Amino acid sequence: DGGITQSPKYLFRKEGQNVTLSCEQNLNHDAMYWYRQDPGQGLRLIYYSQIVNDFQKGDIAEGYSVSREKKESFPLTVTSAQKNPTAFYLCASNMGQYPSGNQPQHFGDGTRLSIL
Amino acid sequence: GENVEQHPSTLSVQEGDSAVIKCTYSDSASNYFPWYKQELGKGPQLIIDIRSNVGEKKDQRIAVTLNKTAKHFSLHITETQPEDSAVYFCAARPSGAGSYQLTFGKGTKLSVIP
């Protein structure tokens, strides 16, 4: 079945440590996204990528980094510069906007990151 | 940028009753409005979406209405069932080149009481 796989489901970070969250999709989607979700809040965009080897900052990119070396993979690194990393992280993908027009985003089941 | 407000933040209904969730948006150029359902510990799932050239869309017990003049759109769930209990998010996206971002509301926690 096609879908988006995020791993691990739970992750713990120590002070001063960088951690990387994995996101893989087999939907042949061009665009991929990373969101952060905090309790009682909507989803906030961290980074997005429209094509391989290209990505743009979202609304809350500080303290995060990404890469897009393969179409199906878009890993997110939470660096030690992110002072409040505890959150639920969601990866999404879609066909991209042009020339496909508006296409719905499909989400993975998330990674919950906590601080030790 | 776009701002999306969603109301109410919590909603309890009796099984079989209808539920309505409303969202307003600020950017008149927005032209795509999806609704997502999120169950505990899971990622959001798209349940219905509407584009700005359509005023209403229905899929079985779920419908969405859009009022472009007033810049608001609503989710309607009829004949609610316990499995409809979840958090629902609305979102909006402006048109135009480079407009890839969705702006989300803060969510509505729907509880359907058996």
Side-chain angles (χ1 to χ4, degrees), chain A residues 10-79:
Chain A
Y10 300 96
L11 188 58
F12 298 91
R13 194 190 90 169
K14 296 179 181 178
E15 292 289 337
Q17 186 180 47
N18 293 353
V19 291
T20 298
L21 285 60
S22 171
C23 178
E24 303 276 331
Q25 54 97 1
N26 60 3
L27 300 166
N28 198 33
H29 284 169
D30 293 312
M32 297 186 74
Y33 310 80
W34 274 106
Y35 291 90
R36 171 179 171 140
Q37 185 175 29
D38 295 284
Q41 299 293 314
L43 282 66
R44 293 182 291 167
L45 184 66
I46 305 173
Y47 269 97
Y48 64 101
S49 168
Q50 299 158 225
I51 56 172
V52 174
N53 294 323
D54 185 53
F55 48 83
Q56 288 79 40
K57 293 180 179 180
D59 297 325
I60 56 166
E62 186 174 350
Y64 300 97
S65 65
V66 293
S67 63
R68 186 84 187 276
E69 298 176 1
K70 299 187 295 182
K71 185 176 183 178
E72 57 271 21
S73 178
F74 191 40
L76 173 74
T77 296
V78 184
T79 74

Side-chain angles (χ1 to χ4, degrees), chain B residues 13 16 21 23 27 29 35 41-42 48 58 64 76 78-79 84 96 98 100 107:
Chain B
V13 299
I21 303 170
C23 288
D27 189 339
W35 284 90
K42 299 280 191 179
I48 196 167
K58 191 172 181 179
V64 57
H76 305 253
T78 58
E79 301 172 17
D84 294 329
Y100 293 80

Side-chain angles (χ1 to χ4, degrees), chain B residues 1 6 13 15 18 23 37 41-43 51 53 82 89 93 101 109:
Chain B
Q6 183 172 346
V13 299
E15 182 177 357
S18 295
C23 288
K37 175 183 180 183
K42 299 280 191 179
R51 289 163 176 76
N53 58 347
F89 292 96
R93 184 173 61 215
Q101 291 187 235
K109 183 177 181 180

